Amino acid sequence: TGISRWSLATVAAPVPEPTLVTGGYATAVTLLGDGTVVSGTSSGQVALWDPTHPQRPTAATSVDGYVTWVSGAGSEIAVTTRRGGATYRTHVTGATGAHGLTTMATMTSFDSWANWVVPGPDGAWLVGSSARTARVIGKDNEIRDEFPVPDAVTSLAWLPDGRIVVGAVSGTTYVRGPHPLADDDVTRGVYFSTWDRSGTRLATFPYSPGSSQVRLLDTSDPLAPTLIGR
């Protein structure tokens, strides 16, 4: 019940580092810009960790229910949960190694699990749920946009130019717009997707029975995405 870490100083032979012991099943993890680790657990704990002192978190708080994802943008952290489909936000205070967390505030709620959240431009957040819906939430928790998704959302990515990528439980990766990107080999859902900085290559992590691979697609031509690695 913790977060395993490896040093990639030597990529060919990653070196294990001390495990961050979360005290519950670790269900979500992300990194802040200063290297602080943010974790979420099945019991609803949200914690900050200084990787140089892995024995205990530097700050911790809790939400009501199983944490499905955590994401950070600057000093703000967003947390999605199963219970009540709620998404929360909190702010990091203090310096690295001595962080604190402000009281959790509800950002939005769905009729089903909130599964994924990623930051966007102008302080907005993009949130997806198993209710086949994604929303853009503004700084004041207003719903700026809402759109349907063909299946339950299992992952999201948001490019600076406004393109939105949605991974769905059906196994298809959708790009918001007229051209879906189909991944015919996937039978059990896309559980992670993200663009590279150029916005032309898309990495997805689907799950297929007996095999789990990261797939890299060249999406320069949205009508004809090309598999370039796995």
Side-chain angles (χ1 to χ4, degrees):
T1 56
I3 297 170
S4 299
R5 301 179 301 138
W6 291 265
S7 169
L8 299 180
T10 305
V11 177
V15 178
E17 294 188 345
T19 297
L20 307 180
V21 181
T22 57
Y25 291 116
T27 54
V29 63
T30 194
L31 286 173
L32 301 183
D34 64 359
T36 297
V37 177
V38 185
S39 66
T41 70
S42 57
S43 61
Q45 184 195 63
V46 177
L48 303 180
W49 303 80
D50 178 353
T52 63
H53 297 86
Q55 295 83 4
R56 63 181 63 87
T58 58
T61 187
S62 61
V63 294
D64 187 15
Y66 185 114
V67 175
T68 53
W69 197 248
V70 292
S71 189
S75 65
E76 190 168 46
I77 296 170
V79 181
T80 57
T81 66
R82 285 186 179 181
R83 183 166 295 175
T87 302
Y88 302 91
R89 66 169 91 215
T90 180
H91 285 84
V92 178
T93 61
T96 302
H99 284 317
L101 287 169
T102 61
T103 302
M104 286 284 181
T106 302
M107 185 190 304
T108 192
S109 296
F110 295 90
D111 293 333
S112 188
W113 299 352
N115 292 339
W116 206 272
V117 58
V118 292
D122 303 323
W125 291 90
L126 175 65
V127 188
S129 83
S130 57
R132 301 183 177 186
T133 304
R135 291 177 185 160
V136 177
I137 307 296
K139 291 182 179 179
D140 297 321
N141 299 330
E142 73 278 13
I143 299 176
R144 292 186 183 177
D145 192 12
E146 183 174 60
F147 55 93
V149 179
D151 288 288
V153 176
T154 52
S155 65
L156 292 168
W158 198 354
L159 275 179
D161 67 5
R163 278 182 292 172
I164 290 173
V165 183
V166 182
V169 73
S170 63
T172 301
T173 304
Y174 299 94
V175 177
R176 191 178 183 199
H179 308 304
L181 296 178
D183 191 345
D184 296 334
D185 290 344
V186 182
T187 59
R188 289 285 300 280
V190 176
Y191 291 104
F192 186 80
S193 58
T194 187
W195 295 100
D196 73 345
R197 293 186 179 183
S198 71
T200 60
R201 288 179 295 184
L202 174 68
T204 66
F205 179 71
Y207 173 76
S208 297
S211 175
S212 294
Q213 296 180 324
V214 175
R215 299 165 63 84
L216 186 62
L217 299 170
D218 183 343
T219 61
S220 302
D221 179 358
L223 292 174
T226 305
L227 180 66
I228 56 177
R230 68 173 73 195

